[in-house]
Amino acid sequence: MSTKLSITDLPDSEYKGKRVFVRVDFNVPIKDGNISEDYRIRQAIPTIDYLIEKGAKVIVASHLGRPKGRNIPGFSLKPVAERLNEILDIEVNFPGEVFSDKVRNAANNLNEGEVMLLENLRFHKEETDNDEEFAENLASLADIYVNDAFGTCHRAHASTYGMAKYFDKRLAGFVISKELEFLGALLQNPDRPYLVIVGGAKIKDKINALKNLLETADKVLIGGCVAYTFLAAKGVKVGKSLVEKEMIPWAKEALKNYSDKIELPIDHVVADSVENSRVMMVVDREIPEDLMGFDIGPKTVSNFNSHIKGNGTVFWNGPMGLFEMNDFSNGTSSIARSVALATWRGATTVVGGGDSTSALRRAEVLISEIKHVSTGGGASLEFLGGDELPGISVLSDK
Ligand code: AMP
């Protein structure tokens, strides 16, 4: 159970006629004015629907890309406003600015159940600087504050952090509430057995989360580049595979403390280089000097799959190899399908990290076949590392 106040914790009467500021994550890919993938927009709809239904005046705000404080038309949220019109089937007010007299008037003139979308918050560098005056201006537009942008909660920006203190009611939307429910359970009381699968590029990026996961999990399967550093720490030859030399002492210590929990690859799909990544062969255990590991091999897939069962909890972060290339996607896709199967069999499955949705898509696994797909890559790892996220800490306690 989350300890943060959610939008459903407030009586309906509190919303009627009130201006509600909702920070969402509409950071969608846009090319030539067209949105190529609108998952993040759809995801925010339940929170917006809920507020409309309660008679609130809804002021939605988001960032898009990294315009670095400049008003760059290619980063405008206008296409998102148009998509919102279609989804909500109402005319969404898009003033094309973040804060001005025009925006204030538009906010004050909203009727109950109407929606307005501000322009890209990051057109002002004051947003990422968490500028005090900017935060106060944003806060002056509304009566109630809702955050539903989990992916930016690890950043103390004006819209995720600075403005919150001006409100009595600082609420979590449905996206954040669900993240807190699932990630909170991983941190505090996961259903056991608790299996963790870790891969991806760098230990350094996930060190705090890894420390906690190794401590709390019953079993930890390690693939991706992360595995080569662990294998190197064990003295296994890994050829030219990407190893984080500076992390070897830590990996040695982890192997000593958690030897009974950690499972490493026993074979690898190797090639000569990324540039010339013809699949050379599958090798057992040791990788020849002039070759690099780009995926876990079939024996490892089979061993890892034998641990992914239909009970307890399965948490997966990071691909098992260079999955963006067909030749090296088998390990990641096999694991994705096993995790989906574990959901069907009754396990609580959680997948997190920036690449996870594309890895699932590549394996033709539906998002609905995973109990919870965490949307915030960095944010979910910081959360699992036990860090207090600024955007969560400012929300009202229950
Ligand atoms: P992360 O963001 O740490 O989860 O890392 C994801 C990236 O790690 C993906 O782009 C993968 O292609 C890459 N990756 C995983 N395993 C390997 C590998 N064996 N060789 C090269 N890149 C890898």
Side-chain angles (χ1 to χ4, degrees):
M1 270 288 278
S2 162
T3 57
K4 292 298 178 183
L5 211 60
S6 131
I7 49 173
T8 52
D9 291 325
L10 224 55
D12 293 359
S13 56
E14 294 257 5
Y15 291 111
K16 201 169 159 49
K18 296 278 173 54
R19 297 166 305 165
V20 182
F21 186 99
V22 192
R23 173 55 156 109
V24 296
D25 182 357
F26 283 164
N27 186 23
V28 291
I30 296 183
K31 204 160 176 251
D32 302 328
N34 296 312
I35 301 168
S36 52
E37 153 66 57
D38 65 351
Y39 176 75
R40 285 183 166 156
I41 302 178
R42 293 198 299 274
Q43 191 183 34
I45 294 303
T47 293
I48 298 173
D49 276 348
Y50 185 86
L51 297 169
I52 292 174
E53 194 207 305
K54 304 297 173 211
K57 303 168 174 181
V58 189
I59 301 162
V60 185
S62 175
H63 73 285
L64 176 72
R66 292 189 175 158
K68 300 198 171 140
R70 286 170 302 156
N71 186 331
I72 302 173
F75 288 98
S76 170
L77 282 168
K78 189 157 191 291
V80 175
E82 285 160 8
R83 185 77 189 104
L84 263 189
N85 279 340
E86 289 165 17
I87 295 175
L88 298 173
D89 202 19
I90 53 172
E91 190 64 35
V92 171
N93 186 325
F94 182 68
E97 291 170 16
V98 175
F99 186 77
S100 64
D101 286 342
K102 181 180 163 193
V103 172
R104 182 187 295 288
N105 288 336
N108 289 338
N109 289 329
L110 284 173
N111 292 315
E112 289 177 13
E114 284 187 349
V115 178
M116 155 178 180
L117 174 67
L118 304 184
E119 184 51 286
N120 189 348
L121 292 164
R122 291 193 189 163
F123 279 180
H124 299 266
K125 78 182 223 336
E126 291 85 349
E127 159 67 358
T128 47
D129 287 349
N130 189 24
D131 178 80
E132 193 57 52
E133 195 183 332
F134 183 74
E136 194 175 353
N137 282 339
L138 283 182
S140 71
L141 294 175
D143 309 299
I144 296 173
Y145 174 78
V146 174
N147 191 351
D148 216 15
F150 183 72
T152 47
C153 278
H154 56 319
R155 307 270 179 241
H157 292 169
S159 67
T160 57
Y161 185 75
M163 68 182 287
K165 63 173 175 288
Y166 295 100
F167 296 88
D168 291 339
K169 308 271 172 6
R170 306 172 302 276
L171 313 168
F174 289 119
V175 172
I176 288 192
S177 296
K178 185 167 181 244
E179 292 278 3
L180 293 180
E181 181 194 338
F182 279 90
L183 298 181
L186 291 189
L187 212 52
Q188 283 150 14
N189 54 345
D191 287 339
R192 295 198 181 264
Y194 178 21
L195 174 73
V196 169
I197 310 160
V198 180
K202 285 195 186 136
I203 294 181
K204 218 167 35 202
D205 295 344
K206 29 190 117 181
I207 181 78
N208 283 339
L210 260 178
K211 282 180 188 165
N212 257 346
L213 293 168
L214 281 166
E215 180 71 34
T216 44
D218 298 301
K219 192 63 120 187
V220 181
L221 315 178
I222 302 179
C225 289
V226 173
Y228 304 122
T229 301
F230 274 91
L231 288 170
K234 271 184 98 166
V236 175
K237 293 198 170 67
V238 293
K240 289 193 302 174
S241 305
L242 299 169
V243 168
E244 289 165 88
K245 286 212 175 69
E246 69 281 15
M247 296 311 301
I248 287 182
W250 176 79
K252 273 190 181 154
E253 195 62 24
L255 283 164
K256 199 170 78 193
N257 294 336
Y258 305 107
S259 60
D260 51 333
K261 287 189 186 179
I262 296 176
E263 293 280 328
L264 293 170
I266 47 175
D267 62 347
H268 319 270
V269 179
V270 299
D272 41 10
S273 68
V274 186
E275 298 77 37
N276 184 14
S277 57
R278 288 173 290 123
V279 180
M280 300 286 289
M281 57 178 142
V282 174
V283 296
D284 280 353
R285 220 172 109 86
E286 304 220 315
I287 300 178
E289 225 168 80
D290 53 339
L291 297 175
M292 292 177 87
F294 286 116
D295 194 10
I296 54 175
K299 287 184 197 163
T300 307
V301 168
S302 161
N303 178 43
F304 281 9
N305 282 344
S306 72
H307 291 284
I308 307 174
K309 303 234 171 68
N311 58 353
T313 306
V314 180
F315 172 63
W316 177 28
N317 173 275
M320 296 290 101
L322 187 64
F323 77 105
E324 296 91 340
M325 298 181 71
N326 274 339
D327 287 338
F328 309 118
S329 63
N330 181 59
T332 302
S333 291
S334 302
I335 296 299
R337 285 190 290 270
S338 297
V339 175
L341 198 55
T343 316
W344 287 110
R345 286 180 162 148
T348 301
T349 51
V350 181
V351 175
D355 288 315
S356 44
T357 34
S358 48
L360 294 174
R361 204 174 296 130
R362 196 171 247 280
E364 296 182 0
V365 165
L366 302 177
I367 304 249
S368 58
E369 290 181 272
I370 307 293
K371 273 269 167 65
H372 179 61
V373 177
S374 180
T375 45
S380 56
L381 283 178
E382 285 193 25
F383 187 91
L384 291 174
D387 294 342
E388 174 138 290
L389 309 186
I392 302 293
S393 67
V394 292
L395 299 177
S396 307
D397 290 315
K398 276 201 194 220

